Structure formats: C-alpha cells, structure tokens
C-alpha cells in the first residue's frame, strides 16, 4: 500500500486504543498518532535492500521479513529506539510506552499489504508464501482520504472516537472489496465458460485506484487470458486478449540454462507466481501479466530484459514502464465511468 495509507492506518490504531499518560488529551492523541504513523510506515524501509550488481535483490526482500507477523514486536522496538529520545521522552513517555505505540502502528502494515495483490510474506520465516487477498488496490483515494481525515481530526481535537470511525471505515471498505472481488470472479468464470475454457488457475485483482473495475487473468491451454469487469454498478465486461505462457526453451532458445540470466528468470517467475510471459512489445523482455495500468491489456508495468550477447555471469535488467500514463489513465477512467473505449 502507498506510504500515506500505511501511515494513516498506523496512526489510527494507537489513537483508538491508547488510554493516555497525561490529562492533555489532545496532545496524547496527536503523539500516539505520530508514533503509530511512523511505525506504520517503517516496514517499507526494506526497499533500501538493493544491489547495483543484482537488480532483482529488492524483489526478494520487499514485503519479506519486515512484513512478517513475527517481526512486529521487533519492528516496534527498533522504531521506538530511534524515536523515543526525540518524541517519547519529550512527552513524558517511558520507553515501553513508546515501543507499544510504535508496535501498534507497525502491526497494521503487513496486514494492510496482504489485502492488496502484490503478495506479503506474513508467515516468514516459517513459510515463504506471499499472502495476497487482492481486495483493494495499492493506491485508492476513496479508501485513504476518509481514513487520513479521521486521523487528522482525532489529532487536532483529541477525540479518539474520530480515529475509531476511521477504523470502522477501513473494515467497511475491505468488506466491500471482498464482495466486489467475488462478483468479479463470478463474471470471469462465466466468460471463461462461454469461451469453452477450463481455467487451470485464476487471478482476480482490482484495477488502479478503485474497486469498481477489476482485472481477471486465467490460464487455459497454455495461455493467459486477460479481461476486465465493472462489477455490481452498471456491470460490464471488457474482453481483452491473451498471451502464451512463458516457455524458456521456446521463447529463448539461445539462453544457456546455467547462465545467471536463466537463474534470474526463475527468481522473477517465482516472484510472479508463474504468471509470466514474453512481452509482446519486446521479444527480449519478460513481464508479469497480472499487472497493467489498463486492466484488460497485456502491457507491462515492469519487466526483466535479457541480453542475448551477455556473458554467463551477467544479470537481467529490471525495467519499469510508465510511458503513455496519461493516455492509459483515460482508458481506465472510461471503464470506471462507463464511457466507450475510443481506441
């Protein structure tokens, strides 16, 4: 989830539960929210685990140990150790109180991330499975703004019921996302049956910034079929296209299976849960078909790029693709609002 949402939810929980240490209610709610906010954002510091020589290292560690449920008390203590002297002691807190507030904020991070489609290792080190409920997008203003507003209102007025109202909104919105997810899955299965397909597996995820339009990716007969659906409110199907599932021997016959690039493909494939294909726009790139800005298209948000002439120890290149973002957003917006696709 984006940092603003992580911080807002991280602030709301300690604001809602902290009994206070002084009679200065407004101050206590504000400080509890600030410590919880910083704790709620801290887990994403794992993005700093990078390597100039290994472009995929960050994929291995992002949403890994720092997002584990087991790591919550350790994360809270680490954040408190950094903040207690600056914030906690200044407002009369004991270290354990600072640590508790930071841990409450930290505890929200991994669970909120698991509600998105990216995948979070909640049970590390006991399992490296990436938990992904796919019920809200990574960025969603309708989810974030009421929550952030409740946190700010609680901090400025000292009324903890406002923070609790924000948490209630979070629960309602997550339930709505789950309900929409089920509706999108039903529509996807109906479309697959209409085509005469028997999906081997299916991935359903919300499109960017909303829970009205959803992306469906299902595997059948060695191909990934990508479609989009507007669910419940003016339901509509936006049929997409398909692409062959990645086959390294077929798609990259020149690649030495013992080369580093082959090992990088395996790492990327594991991260992508096998939803990988050669990029139709570039025969030397591999993409994760689950992600595209326009949900019924096969258009990479990110990819890995191979070099046919590279040596045996050379890594792949990691690429991000944000070209034509304005035009892509226009197509997504027409899906959300029910307008015609003008392509």
């Amino acid at each position: 989830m984006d940092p603003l949402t992580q911080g807002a939810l991280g602030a709301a929980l300690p604001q809602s539960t902290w009994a206070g240490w002084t009679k200065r209610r407004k101050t206590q709610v504000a400080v509890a929210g600030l410590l919880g906010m910083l704790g709620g954002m801290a887990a994403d510091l794992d993005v700093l685990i990078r390597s100039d020589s290994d472009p995929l290292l960050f994929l291995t560690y992002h949403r890994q140990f720092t997002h584990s449920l087991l790591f919550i008390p350790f994360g809270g203590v680490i954040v408190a150790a950094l903040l207690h002297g600056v914030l906690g002691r200044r407002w009369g807190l004991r270290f354990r109180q600072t640590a508790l507030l930071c841990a409450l904020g930290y505890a929200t991070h991994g669970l909120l991330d698991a509600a998105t489609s990216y995948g979070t290792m909640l049970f590390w080190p006991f399992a490296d499975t990436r938990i992904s409920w796919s019920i809200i997008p990574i960025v969603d203003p309708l989810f974030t703004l009421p929550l952030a507003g409740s946190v700010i209102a609680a901090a400025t007025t000292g009324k903890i019921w406002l923070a609790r109202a924000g948490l209630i909104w979070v629960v309602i919105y997550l339930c709505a996302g789950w309900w929409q997810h089920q509706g999108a899955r039903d529509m996807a299965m109906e479309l697959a049956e209409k085509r005469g397909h028997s999906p081997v597996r299916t991935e359903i995820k919300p499109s960017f910034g909303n829970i009205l339009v959803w992306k469906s990716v299902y595997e059948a007969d060695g191909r990934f079929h990508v479609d989009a659906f507007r669910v419940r409110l003016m339901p509509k199907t936006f049929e997409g296209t398909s692409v062959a599932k990645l086959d390294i021997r077929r798609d990259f016959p020149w690649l030495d299976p013992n080369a580093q690039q082959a090992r990088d493909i395996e790492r990327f494939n594991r991260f992508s849960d096998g939803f990988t294909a050669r990029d139709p726009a570039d025969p030397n790139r591999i993409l994760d078909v689950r992600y595209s800005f326009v949900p019924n298209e096969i258009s990479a948000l990110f990819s890995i790029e191979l070099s046919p002439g590279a040596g045996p120890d050379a890594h792949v290149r990691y690429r991000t693709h944000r070209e034509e973002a304005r035009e892509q957003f226009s197509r997504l917006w027409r899906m959300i609002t029910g307008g015609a696709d003008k392509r």
Side-chain angles (χ1 to χ4, degrees):
M1 207 74 186
D2 66 277
L4 174 59
T5 310
Q6 293 286 9
L9 184 57
L13 184 57
Q15 281 183 334
S16 299
T17 57
W18 187 243
W21 63 91
T22 72
K23 295 180 180 180
R24 294 176 292 177
R25 171 59 70 86
K26 187 182 297 187
T27 299
Q28 78 180 48
V29 175
V31 174
L34 180 58
L35 290 171
M37 179 189 73
L38 295 173
M41 298 168 67
D44 274 343
L45 291 175
D46 61 6
V47 298
L48 299 177
I49 304 176
R50 292 176 176 268
S51 170
D52 292 336
S53 61
D54 182 358
L56 299 187
L57 183 68
F58 81 100
L59 287 181
T60 301
Y61 288 102
H62 184 41
R63 296 200 182 185
Q64 197 218 40
F65 72 96
T66 62
H67 290 61
S68 168
L69 297 177
L70 185 66
F71 196 77
I72 290 172
F74 301 100
V77 169
I78 292 171
V79 176
L82 297 173
L83 298 178
H84 182 64
V86 180
L87 295 174
R89 186 183 298 121
R90 179 180 177 183
W91 295 106
L93 289 176
R94 297 177 181 177
F95 179 79
R96 66 172 179 269
Q97 293 173 315
T98 303
L100 175 60
L101 293 170
C102 292
L104 286 172
Y106 198 100
T108 65
H109 191 112
L111 292 171
L112 184 58
D113 272 349
T116 70
S117 61
Y118 191 85
T120 306
M121 295 188 188
L122 290 181
F123 302 112
W124 181 93
F126 306 108
D128 60 2
T129 303
R130 288 185 175 269
I131 307 301
S132 173
W133 299 317
S134 294
I135 56 177
I136 53 172
I138 291 175
V139 176
D140 189 339
L142 188 58
F143 177 79
T144 302
L145 294 178
L147 173 61
S150 72
V151 166
I152 294 171
T156 55
T157 64
K159 297 177 180 179
I160 62 175
W161 69 265
L162 291 169
R164 291 173 179 170
L167 292 180
I168 292 172
W169 171 249
V170 167
V171 173
I172 291 173
Y173 202 88
L174 291 175
C175 290
W178 176 84
W179 186 53
Q180 289 288 87
H181 181 110
Q182 301 307 308
R185 181 173 293 277
D186 291 342
M187 293 178 74
M189 293 300 95
E190 182 179 344
L191 179 60
E193 183 178 358
K194 179 181 177 181
R195 291 170 174 166
H197 293 159
S198 298
V200 176
R201 55 183 179 152
T202 305
E203 181 84 5
I204 305 293
K205 62 187 294 294
S207 60
F208 178 80
N210 74 102
I211 58 172
L212 181 61
V213 175
W214 292 70
K215 178 170 185 169
S216 161
V217 181
Y218 70 81
E219 179 185 345
D221 301 322
R223 299 186 68 84
F224 292 119
H225 298 262
V226 177
D227 304 285
F229 306 93
R230 191 171 64 243
V231 185
R232 312 289 183 189
L233 181 62
M234 296 186 297
K236 186 175 182 179
T237 297
F238 303 91
E239 292 196 42
T241 185
S242 68
V243 66
K245 184 179 179 179
L246 179 67
D247 184 316
I248 297 177
R249 291 186 178 181
R250 179 198 65 211
D251 296 333
F252 303 99
W254 50 265
L255 182 62
D256 180 352
N258 297 314
Q260 181 61 54
Q261 289 191 111
R263 293 193 291 272
D264 285 345
I265 292 175
E266 177 58 30
R267 294 164 66 193
F268 187 73
N269 195 52
R270 191 162 55 247
F271 164 80
S272 303
D273 196 26
F275 283 92
T276 47
R278 189 167 65 169
D279 190 343
D282 189 320
N284 288 326
R285 289 178 180 169
I286 298 173
L287 53 78
D288 185 335
V289 297
R290 298 174 300 173
Y291 295 97
S292 61
F293 197 86
V294 182
N296 67 337
E297 295 182 2
I298 297 173
S299 177
L301 283 181
F302 52 87
S303 67
I304 57 173
E305 183 177 281
L306 282 69
S307 301
D313 297 324
H315 283 276
V316 300
R317 296 184 180 93
Y318 180 81
R319 302 294 193 191
T320 56
H321 308 281
R322 296 183 176 88
E323 302 87 351
E324 303 177 350
R326 180 178 299 180
E327 195 274 335
Q328 289 180 334
F329 180 78
S330 297
R331 297 207 298 277
L332 173 60
W333 183 249
R334 287 194 291 272
M335 290 182 176
I336 296 172
T337 58
D341 193 338
K342 299 179 182 179
R343 285 185 299 165

